[in-house]
Amino acid sequence: MRIATVTGAALLALGLAAGPAAADSSPSPAAGSPAPSSAGTSFRTATEIEQGQRATADASAGDYLYWSFPADAGQRPTVRATVKLPDTHASQTWQVDVYDGLRRRQACQYGAQTRTAAAGTSSVELACVLRTVRAWSEPWANDPLPGTYYVRLTALDLPAADLGLPVGAEVRADAKDMGGAAAVDGSLSEPLVPGIAVTSRQDAADDDSGDSAVLSAIEPEDGWSSGWWSDRWVWTGIGGVLAALAGIGGYALTRGSGRPRGVPPGA
């Protein structure tokens, strides 16, 4: 009976701990917030989008289109892009690139980052799944770190006849929480958000000269964690509880009836 109680308590504890770890960290866009309908033409003018928000833009073939979104420690971002092409066009190759807050191009773990649309194809879909964002990294490493991420969408080596043709672009950035398995010791003092130390949005609004610019003012829904919390804390606590339960169960199994050896029952 005691063993069954110990086992049931352990399974319940494991279930409670595993629940939050499996959750997707992509927040839902705030109700009523308008979806962006344009794209920037450089890193500096990139259109800001939230995780889980669908952004669209009308452009011309040959343009460079830029968006930016926040990604925090422990998240694995995924960027998806769809390009709607005109009815008549030659073969076109499109590519989506993702850069971090230091404008370092980040490699895709997997996904169709570059695709070629045959002549007459109505659309082309691209995807890039990044590595998990780390809370801290060596200065020489190219690991993704917390902060702003930039999405660049463009066509490669367009035929002269297709330059300037109207196209439609759709971009969405999501992120999956990878849990304590991706946690590392250490954290950044500040996320890599370009322009955050230059001026605030309010300062820019109060500046009549028009010279100030906020390069990025977006952040995750719950703020920047910088890696201070992960579900490793939960698993550590559960490990301690299980160790205590195992000790109690072992004692219950080995203590016996308490009678000296050789003394018959009832003596």
Side-chain angles (χ1 to χ4, degrees):
M1 187 67 176
R2 291 191 181 94
I3 297 177
T5 303
V6 171
T7 303
L11 292 176
L12 177 61
L14 287 172
L16 292 175
D24 192 325
S25 65
S26 295
S28 299
S33 59
S37 57
S38 63
T41 56
S42 67
F43 288 102
R44 189 177 181 85
T45 61
T47 297
E48 297 176 354
I49 61 176
E50 301 174 9
Q51 289 184 12
Q53 189 173 41
R54 172 179 166 271
T56 59
D58 292 326
S60 300
D63 290 345
Y64 285 86
L65 307 178
Y66 289 82
W67 295 266
S68 64
F69 68 94
D72 206 357
Q75 294 183 339
R76 187 178 66 188
T78 298
V79 175
R80 294 181 176 85
T82 301
V83 183
K84 297 179 180 178
L85 304 173
D87 296 333
T88 304
H89 64 84
S91 177
Q92 296 184 6
T93 300
W94 286 81
Q95 179 170 303
V96 61
D97 295 300
V98 183
Y99 299 81
D100 65 9
L102 297 178
R103 301 187 186 179
R104 303 177 301 178
R105 183 175 178 273
Q106 292 295 320
C108 301
Q109 273 191 315
Y110 52 87
Q113 182 182 8
T114 304
R115 270 188 171 174
T116 299
T121 305
S122 61
S123 65
V124 59
E125 295 184 356
L126 307 167
C128 176
V129 180
L130 299 178
R131 295 172 294 165
T132 302
V133 178
R134 294 166 57 89
W136 176 86
S137 178
E138 295 287 351
W140 47 261
N142 193 38
D143 296 320
L145 295 169
T148 300
Y149 281 76
Y150 295 94
V151 180
R152 185 180 73 180
L153 179 65
T154 190
L156 306 177
D157 301 326
L158 272 176
D162 283 357
L163 286 172
L165 289 179
V167 296
E170 179 180 314
V171 169
R172 179 185 173 109
D174 297 289
K176 180 179 180 181
D177 192 343
M178 302 307 293
V184 296
D185 295 329
S187 62
L188 299 179
S189 58
E190 293 290 344
L192 301 179
V193 180
I196 194 170
V198 178
T199 180
S200 67
R201 184 177 293 275
Q202 184 61 41
D203 293 337
D206 295 340
D207 187 357
D208 296 331
S209 66
D211 295 333
S212 299
V214 176
L215 301 188
S216 183
I218 52 177
E219 64 178 29
E221 188 178 44
D222 298 327
W224 298 105
S225 68
S226 296
W228 73 271
W229 164 261
S230 75
D231 59 7
R232 288 199 300 181
W233 292 93
V234 178
W235 289 107
T236 300
I238 294 302
V241 173
L242 291 178
L245 292 175
I248 295 173
Y251 173 75
L253 289 173
T254 59
R255 70 189 180 98
S257 62
R259 293 189 301 274
R261 182 178 297 179
V263 178

